[in-house]
Amino acid sequence: MRREQFDLFKTLLERLAENSPFYKNKFSASGIRISDVKSPEDIKHLPFTTKEELRDAYPLGLQSVPDEKVVRIHSSSGTTGKPVIIPYTENDVKDWALLMARCFELAGVTPLDRVQITPGYGLWTAGIGFQAGAEKIGAMAVPMGPGNTDKQLQMMVDLKSTVFVATSSYALVLAEEVAKRGIHSRIHLKKGVIGSERWGEKMRNRIKSELGVEIYDIYGLTEIYGPGISIDCDCHSGLHYWDDYLYFEIIDPITCEPVKEGEYGELVITTLRKEGAPLLRYRTRDLTRIIPGQCPCGSPYPRHDIIIGRTDDMVKVKGVNIYPGQIDELLRDIEGASSEYQVLIQHVNGKDEMMLRVEKELDTNEAHLREKIVDQFKKKVGIHIGAEVVGIGELPRSEKKSKRILDYRYQ
Ligand code: ZN
């Protein structure tokens, strides 16, 4: 941790202890005195903040400034339980635009670009964050919002959009539609900024080749500004994050101890400058690692690896931890397997059974592919599974986060 970061961290602790009822309670409950934090080593004694606590603080329990300072709220999707409401001050909104502008800059987006934004607007943070960042660098934002593929493609052709922002599932929908309609030559896209889901190399390559774009992974979460807290550069060797705004730690999700440098674990984020709802050691549930050393691109900002999964997506089958990122990786190396898959887990006759359904590429022998998948899974993950091979386009696509693992054991 750099000196400047630690100073920001200390200031954050003072602000929390003074202005945040949420953290005042947490500090007194854990018996922590912030004056005991004298060096970066002491940070590990501070309490974590969890998603459950954020939900319990619904609606505005996280607010750490007087009402007149709050200019906006955003909310995480409430698909599981109560939503989390995050209040933003004017500075938070400005900072977020700045972080997003840095992301676009790192991806080589310029004032001459036209940025078609397909993520949602409204309570969810995605759309407006991308728009503010695009406007800040002087590009032309095309604020489409989600869905309506016909309109998306029409605008893409007529306005000659050069950059598009999408989730990986929706990027795949667009890529497939462009191929189906044979309009590749009328598309002017150069770059795709893709976020909010983990995805495999194969899916990435299909989007790249079918839309003719270079792809940049962007990461973020509503609790911490929104998307735009990190992005990969032209070297595509990890995502640079803005360590003058955010402090990242990687912990073992079971023991909560820091992992060794460069090892995978759960990402924990502290917001160093946020005002409306600052967060201390927030457990993101995202699995990644910090990449040691400097990026060949020369950027001074450190890197984390792509998100390989979520701690709550981790499923235990026959005593082995399995996460979707592993399956992406495994399929990437199997010739003839497409990037789309679905996992079904059942409990049959007292035993776990796992079935992996995979879309095959054209001209691939089904029986042979099935055999290879079963064999590789046994070798790399260590358990025996069943495999089913289906044609391209047979598995469900979605414009939102894909749910690929269907666990029927506890229903
Ligand atoms: Zn780089």
Side-chain angles (χ1 to χ4, degrees):
M1 195 182 206
R2 289 180 288 111
R3 179 79 231 171
E4 175 201 339
Q5 273 182 305
F6 186 62
D7 289 343
L8 284 167
F9 198 102
K10 289 277 287 176
T11 314
L12 168 75
L13 289 178
E14 283 155 24
R15 281 196 286 128
L16 293 178
E18 204 163 313
N19 306 322
S20 163
F22 176 83
Y23 280 105
K24 265 188 219 172
N25 284 338
K26 261 179 94 69
F27 290 154
S28 61
S30 64
I32 288 280
R33 281 183 314 179
I34 58 158
S35 54
D36 292 341
V37 179
K38 295 200 166 63
S39 77
E41 285 72 50
D42 299 325
I43 291 173
K44 63 172 183 284
H45 303 302
L46 290 166
F48 292 106
T49 308
T50 64
K51 179 107 178 182
E52 290 76 27
E53 289 175 297
L54 266 46
R55 285 208 186 101
D56 291 343
Y58 180 88
L60 285 168
L62 291 170
Q63 188 176 318
S64 303
V65 289
D67 282 353
E68 62 269 28
K69 291 279 184 194
V70 175
V71 299
R72 188 200 287 171
I73 60 119
H74 282 292
S75 157
S76 67
S77 58
T79 44
T80 49
K82 270 187 287 186
V84 171
I85 306 272
I86 302 288
Y88 292 65
T89 66
E90 190 186 350
N91 280 336
D92 293 338
V93 169
K94 279 186 189 154
D95 286 347
W96 184 23
L98 173 82
L99 303 185
M100 189 63 94
R102 284 187 187 174
C103 286
F104 279 130
E105 269 161 7
L106 204 65
V109 179
T110 73
L112 285 174
D113 279 303
R114 297 175 174 187
V115 183
Q116 186 157 337
I117 299 160
T118 75
Y121 280 74
L123 278 178
W124 196 39
T125 49
I128 194 148
F130 288 112
Q131 180 167 343
E135 288 171 355
K136 190 164 173 68
I137 60 167
M140 183 174 95
V142 184
M144 296 296 297
N148 201 346
T149 304
D150 283 339
K151 190 79 171 268
Q152 298 278 4
L153 293 174
Q154 186 200 334
M155 294 303 248
M156 206 170 261
V157 168
D158 293 347
L159 284 171
K160 300 185 170 65
S161 301
T162 55
V163 178
F164 78 107
V165 179
T167 61
S168 54
S169 332
Y170 194 56
L172 188 62
V173 170
L174 287 174
E176 287 176 343
E177 277 304 309
V178 165
K180 210 192 289 173
R181 298 178 192 205
I183 54 171
H184 187 90
S185 63
R186 294 161 62 202
I187 296 287
H188 297 79
L189 293 175
K190 289 182 297 189
K191 293 170 194 290
V193 174
I194 312 283
S196 112
E197 265 180 301
R198 65 180 173 271
W199 52 320
E201 201 59 31
K202 274 201 174 141
M203 187 164 169
R204 167 186 288 262
N205 286 336
R206 279 185 67 198
I207 294 165
K208 260 162 90 169
S209 65
E210 275 165 27
L211 290 177
V213 292
E214 177 150 18
I215 288 210
Y216 299 85
D217 268 308
I218 193 161
Y219 173 67
L221 56 172
T222 304
E223 297 86 330
I224 317 280
Y225 295 108
I229 68 177
S230 62
I231 191 165
D232 71 339
C233 63
D234 289 334
C235 299
H236 303 295
S237 58
L239 287 78
H240 291 277
Y241 66 93
W242 318 118
D243 66 345
D244 49 346
Y245 280 77
L246 304 163
Y247 178 63
F248 278 24
E249 298 170 81
I250 307 287
I251 62 162
D252 179 317
I254 312 286
T255 65
C256 297
E257 290 296 314
V259 300
K260 289 202 198 85
E261 198 194 6
E263 279 183 8
Y264 281 100
E266 179 179 355
L267 174 62
V268 171
I269 303 178
T270 297
T271 64
L272 296 173
R273 297 179 197 253
K274 239 176 156 216
E275 298 175 343
L279 291 179
L280 176 68
R281 304 192 83 201
Y282 178 62
R283 293 188 60 172
T284 64
R285 300 180 180 181
D286 286 327
L287 298 165
T288 183
R289 66 188 190 106
I290 301 290
I291 301 176
Q294 218 193 339
C295 180
C297 80
S299 165
Y301 293 104
R303 290 167 298 160
H304 68 86
D305 218 325
I306 54 167
I307 307 297
I308 56 163
R310 291 180 58 77
T311 55
D312 34 28
D313 289 341
M314 251 181 356
V315 283
K316 209 166 197 161
V317 181
K318 302 181 186 182
V320 175
N321 278 339
I322 297 171
Y323 45 87
Q326 248 179 326
I327 300 171
D328 288 333
E329 228 165 273
L330 189 119
L331 292 178
R332 190 172 65 207
D333 298 333
I334 298 179
E335 208 184 312
S338 148
S339 55
E340 291 299 307
Y341 66 86
Q342 196 175 50
V343 174
L344 277 102
I345 307 167
Q346 283 170 301
H347 203 68
V348 183
N349 300 329
K351 277 186 192 162
D352 286 344
E353 272 183 13
M354 176 172 154
M355 170 67 76
L356 182 57
R357 281 186 176 152
V358 181
E359 288 186 3
K360 72 179 181 88
E361 279 167 359
L362 293 172
D363 307 324
T364 301
N365 181 290
E366 223 175 284
H368 188 59
L369 177 59
R370 198 163 47 225
E371 209 174 289
K372 256 198 293 192
I373 292 169
V374 172
D375 179 59
Q376 285 300 304
F377 210 89
K378 176 80 190 155
K379 273 190 189 134
K380 292 189 176 160
V381 185
I383 60 168
H384 182 78
I385 59 158
E388 196 181 312
V389 172
V390 302
I392 284 279
E394 286 187 32
L395 293 176
R397 300 288 192 276
S398 107
E399 289 175 8
K400 284 210 168 161
K401 303 188 182 201
S402 303
K403 186 139 176 54
R404 294 207 167 104
I405 297 189
L406 306 170
D407 193 343
Y408 293 118
R409 284 176 298 181
Y410 310 108
Q411 289 177 4

Short mmCIF file of all heavy atoms in Angstrom, two decimals, residues 233 235 240 295 297 299 303, ligand 1:
data_model
loop_
_atom_site.label_atom_id
_atom_site.label_comp_id
_atom_site.label_asym_id
_atom_site.label_seq_id
_atom_site.Cartn_x
_atom_site.Cartn_y
_atom_site.Cartn_z
N CYS A 233 -6.57 -3.29 -20.93
CA CYS A 233 -5.97 -2.37 -21.90
C CYS A 233 -5.66 -3.13 -23.19
O CYS A 233 -6.04 -4.28 -23.33
CB CYS A 233 -4.69 -1.79 -21.31
SG CYS A 233 -3.46 -3.07 -20.98
N CYS A 235 -3.11 -4.58 -24.09
CA CYS A 235 -2.31 -5.80 -23.87
C CYS A 235 -3.20 -6.97 -23.46
O CYS A 235 -2.77 -8.12 -23.52
CB CYS A 235 -1.25 -5.57 -22.79
SG CYS A 235 -0.10 -4.28 -23.22
N HIS A 240 -6.90 -3.03 -15.38
CA HIS A 240 -6.30 -1.99 -14.54
C HIS A 240 -7.38 -1.40 -13.65
O HIS A 240 -8.47 -1.09 -14.12
CB HIS A 240 -5.74 -0.87 -15.41
CG HIS A 240 -4.52 -1.28 -16.19
ND1 HIS A 240 -3.27 -1.27 -15.64
CD2 HIS A 240 -4.37 -1.71 -17.47
CE1 HIS A 240 -2.40 -1.67 -16.56
NE2 HIS A 240 -3.04 -1.96 -17.66
N CYS A 295 2.19 -3.78 -16.08
CA CYS A 295 1.65 -4.18 -17.38
C CYS A 295 2.57 -3.69 -18.49
O CYS A 295 3.09 -2.58 -18.41
CB CYS A 295 0.27 -3.58 -17.53
SG CYS A 295 -0.54 -3.99 -19.09
N CYS A 297 1.83 -2.33 -21.07
CA CYS A 297 1.31 -1.09 -21.67
C CYS A 297 1.90 0.15 -21.01
O CYS A 297 1.79 1.24 -21.54
CB CYS A 297 -0.21 -1.05 -21.59
SG CYS A 297 -0.86 -0.55 -19.98
N SER A 299 0.96 1.50 -18.13
CA SER A 299 0.05 2.19 -17.20
C SER A 299 0.53 1.97 -15.76
O SER A 299 0.91 0.86 -15.39
CB SER A 299 -1.38 1.65 -17.36
OG SER A 299 -2.16 2.06 -16.26
N ARG A 303 -3.20 -4.19 -11.71
CA ARG A 303 -4.17 -5.03 -12.44
C ARG A 303 -4.73 -6.14 -11.57
O ARG A 303 -4.03 -6.70 -10.73
CB ARG A 303 -3.50 -5.70 -13.63
CG ARG A 303 -3.13 -4.78 -14.76
CD ARG A 303 -2.19 -5.48 -15.72
NE ARG A 303 -0.94 -5.86 -15.07
CZ ARG A 303 -0.12 -6.79 -15.53
NH1 ARG A 303 -0.40 -7.46 -16.63
NH2 ARG A 303 0.99 -7.07 -14.88
ZN ZN B 1 -2.02 -2.45 -19.42
#
